[in-house]
Amino acid sequence: MDWGEFSVYERLGFSTFNDSQRVEDNFAALTRSLTIVKALEMLGVLSHCGKLEKKEVSIHLVGADYVEATDPAAVFKPLSKLLALNGIRRLDILLNGPNVDRSKHGREDHLWFSCSQDASVSGNHTPTVVRYIADLYHSADTASAITEKGIKPDLIMCFNAGIWGYDSWKETILYFSTQDCPCVITSYNKEEADDDYCAVQNALEQSCSRTLWHWCPSRNMFASPASRESGIDGRKCIENCYWQAFSCKVEFVS
């Protein structure tokens, strides 16, 4: 894979940053975009999609909030640039979750398309369609939209989702299996990552015959350089600090 201008980060992560102000200005875009690209590379998704005739990648960002949905062009610009560098001709992003701005529900934004709307690399960025669904991922409305638009995911991403803290995630985790693709979950720290891991296992253990853990909770080299207090002594909150990835096939028990 070609990491272009981001190659130093691919080798060393964000420890290469020396200018703290630059980190603060760019962390939201860089940590999300580079975490996604690294996941696509490690899971073999980028290689697989690059070999297909359409050369398209579809990502469902589940549990999205204002960070991703307010200005997707800024947040995902590094992602689009890297995908273009590696021959991907179109990127579809679904921003999904009850914390997505309801005023954007059902909307589509077209980013980095040429005037002809041709789905080929436009300049240095992959043309990107961003869709918004302000509902739970396992809801009927979300399922209908995914089917209607034909946007089956190649990767499901859950940034700082707090799987362990919300009962509604259980049904969502089960629904992930119907999409037949890997899921990556990030967490603010090691403790929350371990809790997320247990929550996923608990959600699947009664109904899942096959769960493949691509990697268990581990430090993400593209964790944000910025941190804040968690409210628990000795524990910081760092966006995308830890990550884990799994695929599953659920067989529901009647």
Side-chain angles (χ1 to χ4, degrees):
M1 174 180 167
D2 189 347
W3 281 79
E5 67 184 79
F6 300 102
S7 60
V8 65
Y9 305 142
E10 197 281 327
R11 292 195 303 272
L12 300 174
F14 288 152
S15 62
T16 57
F17 271 115
N18 293 316
D19 186 338
S20 60
Q21 184 58 49
R22 184 183 176 197
V23 171
E24 293 291 340
D25 288 345
N26 293 281
F27 79 89
L30 287 172
T31 184
R32 284 164 174 77
S33 282
L34 299 191
T35 295
I36 289 173
V37 171
K38 189 64 176 177
L40 290 172
E41 180 187 37
M42 290 176 62
L43 293 165
V45 175
L46 188 59
S47 175
H48 172 73
C49 292
K51 293 175 182 177
L52 300 178
E53 183 178 353
K54 290 185 177 181
K55 299 188 184 304
E56 299 178 355
V57 172
S58 176
I59 298 169
H60 289 187
L61 206 165
V62 181
D65 60 19
Y66 70 94
V67 177
E68 298 89 17
T70 300
D71 189 1
V75 173
F76 298 112
K77 188 173 184 178
L79 170 62
S80 175
K81 190 168 187 177
L82 276 165
L83 293 183
L85 193 62
N86 287 276
I88 298 301
R89 296 175 181 171
R90 174 168 170 143
L91 170 63
D92 277 281
I93 298 175
L94 172 64
L95 297 180
N96 165 256
N99 291 324
V100 171
D101 186 347
R102 290 294 305 181
S103 68
K104 293 186 174 183
H105 181 75
R107 197 174 95 182
E108 293 185 8
D109 289 341
H110 291 244
L111 309 175
W112 306 298
F113 275 77
S114 64
C115 293
S116 65
Q117 296 290 290
D118 180 31
S120 59
V121 173
S122 178
N124 295 321
H125 297 88
T126 294
T128 301
V129 178
V130 180
R131 296 180 172 89
Y132 307 82
I133 300 179
D135 208 340
L136 294 172
Y137 193 66
H138 59 266
S139 72
D141 285 347
T142 302
S144 176
I146 291 172
T147 301
E148 178 185 346
K149 298 293 185 180
I151 49 174
K152 184 175 176 64
D154 299 301
L155 175 69
I156 294 172
M157 287 292 313
C158 304
F159 286 125
N160 312 301
I163 306 294
W164 62 273
Y166 302 89
D167 292 339
S168 59
W169 273 111
K170 181 175 181 178
E171 287 186 67
T172 296
I173 294 296
L174 292 173
Y175 188 71
F176 285 166
S177 68
T178 67
Q179 302 304 321
D180 193 27
C181 74
C183 172
V184 175
I185 298 170
T186 72
S187 310
Y188 287 116
N189 48 55
K190 182 182 184 302
E191 292 79 8
E192 289 201 18
D194 290 340
D195 288 342
D196 285 341
Y197 178 75
C198 291
V200 170
Q201 286 191 314
N202 290 337
L204 296 174
E205 66 181 1
Q206 298 300 321
S207 56
C208 185
S209 60
R210 293 191 299 272
T211 302
L212 171 63
W213 284 95
H214 302 286
W215 61 85
C216 293
S218 56
R219 185 75 187 223
N220 174 20
M221 67 186 298
F222 293 127
S224 172
S227 65
R228 60 178 173 80
E229 295 297 327
S230 69
I232 300 176
D233 289 343
R235 187 184 299 185
K236 297 284 188 179
C237 281
I238 300 171
E239 288 197 330
N240 308 319
C241 185
Y242 273 70
W243 67 343
Q244 54 197 288
F246 69 95
S247 300
C248 66
K249 185 65 176 177
V250 170
E251 295 179 356
F252 291 98
V253 179
S254 59

